[in-house]
């Protein structure tokens, strides 16, 4: 069989088997020579000798080492009467692969076919029906137009080209009040299960000569509120200093709250007073999930008395006041806000809400 054309394919089949059918951790972790012989016979219709398989495994180990895919003495090794393998440097591990599948299956606009493709790529990691049993899927009909818009945006970001976007408001499935905007795209952001384009509004940037002034023209546009995305002949407006560009983009995204751009960053001290420790923690948990890593627990917290003192560095976006309002609605909880400007704007928010309730007859 040594001179057979099939013997040349055999080594590729063996490599593929260990790469995709045997796992370094989780799933099928070992295989016997007899199993390999059966597998090769199924694929080629030929029965190979054990010695030829031993020789191929030696060559595969030599290839993996010389290509820098492993630092181990052998990628494939024997343990008892079975072969096992170690992890490759560029390999996606079982936990990573499952995180990817979980993320895809809970994203509303990604086609379920993508999930199935990844599962087929790593058969040892996923038992039959894994994605349906472990996590409730949220697939919806894929908007191919949205995918096309995203591809155009990515191309424009890479090539630094201006875009014309008819941008409007969603009313059910319709897009209304559309207005043409010429923008210079900087980056895509993902928040609240939506894609957003961070871009300089070219009209707002006119007359701004200094690099740092361009930040006042940065805007956030929700991709599903774009009727389409077309390349524009208008000049692309950009920072002259790449380092400043990255700093301003980072600041713009970090200072936004729930995908709303802020009018500035502020530090807000909040004292949560619950009837019990558990009451205070419930309210804090709901609020902290909205402002994520922007919360710091103060030293004067007295949780044993139901008092939790926090400091929040956040943008003063409209959603800050809706989040504060939600915090104040928890049973057996009172809050105190230590920031005069935020207190004033929060008071105006409450008056507006009370006025709407009065008009509604509540």
């Amino acid at each position: 069989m040594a001179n057979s054309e099939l013997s040349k394919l055999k080594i590729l089949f063996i490599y593929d088997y260990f790469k995709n059918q045997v796992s370094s951790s989780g799933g099928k972790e070992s295989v016997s020579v007899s199993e390999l012989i059966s597998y090769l016979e199924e694929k080629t219709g030929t029965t190979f000798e054990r010695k030829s398989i031993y020789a191929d495994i030696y060559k595969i180990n030599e290839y993996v080492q010389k290509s820098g895919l492993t630092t181990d003495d052998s990628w494939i090794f024997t343990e008892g009467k079975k072969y096992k393998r170690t992890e490759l440097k560029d390999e996606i591990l079982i936990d990573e692969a499952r995180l990817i599948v979980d993320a895809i299956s809970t994203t509303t606009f990604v086609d379920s076919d993508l999930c199935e493709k990844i599962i087929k790529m790593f058969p040892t990691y996923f038992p039959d029906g894994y994605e349906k049993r472990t996590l409730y899927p949220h697939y919806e009909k894929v908007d191919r137009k949205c995918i096309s818009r995203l591809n155009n945006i990515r191309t424009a970001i890479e090539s630094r080209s201006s875009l014309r976007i008819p941008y409007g408001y969603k009313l059910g499935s319709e897009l209304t009040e559309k207005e043409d905007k010429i923008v210079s795209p900087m980056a895509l952001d993902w928040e609240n299960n939506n894609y957003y384009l961070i871009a300089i509004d070219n009209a707002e940037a006119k007359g701004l000569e200094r690099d740092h002034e361009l930040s006042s023209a940065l805007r956030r546009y929700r991709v599903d509120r774009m009727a389409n995305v077309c390349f524009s002949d208008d000049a692309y407006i950009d920072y002259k200093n790449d380092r400043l560009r990255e700093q301003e983009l980072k600041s713009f995204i970090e200072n936004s709250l729930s995908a709303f751009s802020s009018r500035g960053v502020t530090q807000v001290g909040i004292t949560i007073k619950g009837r019990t420790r558990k009451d205070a923690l419930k309210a804090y948990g709901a609020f902290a999930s909205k402002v994520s890593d922007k919360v710091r627990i103060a030293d004067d917290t007295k949780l044993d008395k139901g008092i939790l003192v926090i400091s929040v560095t956040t943008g003063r976006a409209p959603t800050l006041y809706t989040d504060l309002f939600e915090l104040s609605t928890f049973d057996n909880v009172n809050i105190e806000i230590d920031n005069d400007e935020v207190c004033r704007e929060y008071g105006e928010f409450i008056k507006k809400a009370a006025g709407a309730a009065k008009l509604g007859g509540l």
Side-chain angles (χ1 to χ4, degrees):
M1 295 305 300
N3 296 322
S4 169
E5 285 298 319
L6 288 178
S7 67
K8 298 176 182 178
L9 293 175
K10 173 166 57 78
I11 191 168
L12 297 176
F13 277 120
I14 294 173
Y15 176 81
D16 181 76
Y17 186 89
F18 277 97
K19 181 79 181 291
N20 297 309
Q21 302 294 329
V22 180
S23 171
S24 60
S25 61
K28 182 182 179 67
E29 294 185 6
S30 63
V31 61
S32 66
V33 177
S34 297
E35 287 175 295
L36 283 173
I37 291 172
S38 297
Y39 169 76
L40 291 169
E41 186 175 0
E42 177 189 338
K43 292 293 182 182
T44 66
T46 303
T47 302
F48 292 94
E49 296 178 358
R50 288 173 174 262
K51 288 183 179 180
S52 69
I53 292 175
Y54 301 151
D56 284 346
I57 289 175
Y58 177 84
K59 290 175 183 177
I60 290 170
N61 277 331
E62 189 176 18
Y63 161 73
V64 169
Q65 285 180 322
K66 288 187 176 181
S67 61
L69 293 173
T70 183
T71 55
D72 296 306
D73 292 336
S74 296
W75 177 48
I76 302 171
F77 63 96
T78 55
E79 189 173 277
K81 294 184 178 181
K82 291 198 171 186
Y83 279 103
K84 303 184 79 172
R85 74 172 181 87
T86 60
E87 172 191 331
L88 294 176
K89 284 183 179 180
D90 62 351
E91 188 172 8
I92 293 178
L93 303 181
I94 184 169
D95 291 337
E96 296 168 335
R98 289 182 173 181
L99 281 173
I100 292 169
V101 167
D102 288 351
I104 293 171
S105 65
T106 53
T107 300
T108 56
F109 71 87
V110 178
D111 198 315
S112 61
D113 288 348
L114 178 57
C115 208
E116 293 169 5
K117 288 176 184 176
I118 293 175
I119 287 173
K120 287 178 181 178
M121 288 173 65
F122 304 99
T124 64
Y125 292 169
F126 300 99
D128 290 340
Y130 167 85
E131 75 281 13
K132 295 178 182 177
R133 290 201 307 267
T134 61
L135 207 63
Y136 187 82
H138 290 265
Y139 297 125
E140 294 180 3
K141 186 177 180 180
V142 175
D143 184 354
R144 297 295 175 186
K145 291 181 179 178
C146 184
I147 293 174
S148 176
R149 289 193 291 268
L150 284 169
N151 288 335
N152 284 344
I153 289 170
R154 291 189 184 101
T155 300
I157 291 171
E158 292 174 4
S159 63
R160 300 202 175 184
S161 304
S162 291
L163 292 173
R164 180 185 299 275
I165 55 172
Y167 195 66
Y169 296 88
K170 297 197 79 172
L171 182 63
S173 59
E174 298 295 322
L175 197 62
T176 65
E177 300 295 321
K178 295 188 289 290
E179 179 185 356
D180 268 4
K181 293 184 177 292
I182 306 297
V183 300
S184 297
M186 297 283 172
L188 280 166
D189 190 25
W190 174 258
E191 184 110 14
N192 294 341
N193 215 29
N194 283 296
Y195 269 113
Y196 291 83
L197 169 64
I198 312 300
I200 286 177
D201 185 314
N202 285 22
E204 295 292 331
K206 285 182 179 178
L208 302 178
E209 297 179 356
R210 298 181 181 179
D211 243 12
H212 68 272
E213 292 178 334
L214 283 180
S215 301
S216 64
L218 275 175
R219 298 290 185 270
R220 182 188 293 265
Y221 303 97
R222 216 169 99 170
V223 173
D224 66 344
R225 286 174 53 191
M226 301 175 186
N228 54 60
V229 173
C230 304
F231 290 90
S232 169
D233 292 331
D234 291 60
Y236 184 85
I237 299 174
D238 198 3
Y239 293 85
K240 297 180 181 67
N241 186 311
D242 285 344
R243 185 177 178 183
L244 178 63
R245 182 185 199 265
E246 293 305 314
Q247 288 175 346
E248 292 301 307
L249 268 176
K250 182 180 178 184
S251 177
F252 181 85
I253 292 172
E254 289 182 347
N255 295 335
S256 299
L257 189 63
S258 298
F260 280 82
S261 303
S262 70
R263 302 187 304 276
V265 183
T266 190
Q267 188 168 15
V268 186
I270 303 172
T271 301
I272 303 171
K273 294 183 177 180
R275 186 180 63 180
T276 66
R277 173 191 176 101
K278 189 174 181 180
D279 290 331
L281 286 171
K282 278 184 180 179
Y284 163 77
F287 181 73
S289 67
K290 304 292 180 60
V291 293
S292 62
D293 58 350
K294 300 177 175 67
V295 179
R296 184 180 65 83
I297 309 297
D299 295 334
D300 50 345
T301 285
K302 299 176 182 177
L303 260 181
D304 56 324
K305 297 182 179 180
I307 299 174
L308 184 55
V309 184
I310 61 175
S311 175
V312 185
T313 303
T314 182
R316 279 163 47 199
T319 48
L320 171 62
Y321 304 104
T322 60
D323 294 341
L324 287 172
F325 179 74
E326 181 184 356
L327 179 59
S328 67
T329 60
F330 276 80
D331 291 336
N332 306 314
V333 169
N334 292 313
I335 66 169
E336 295 177 0
I337 301 171
D338 183 15
N339 182 302
D340 292 342
E341 187 65 17
V342 171
C343 277
R344 182 185 66 76
E345 293 186 355
Y346 181 53
E348 293 174 359
F349 172 86
I350 295 296
K351 287 178 183 177
K352 186 177 180 180
K358 185 176 180 180
L359 287 171
L362 299 178

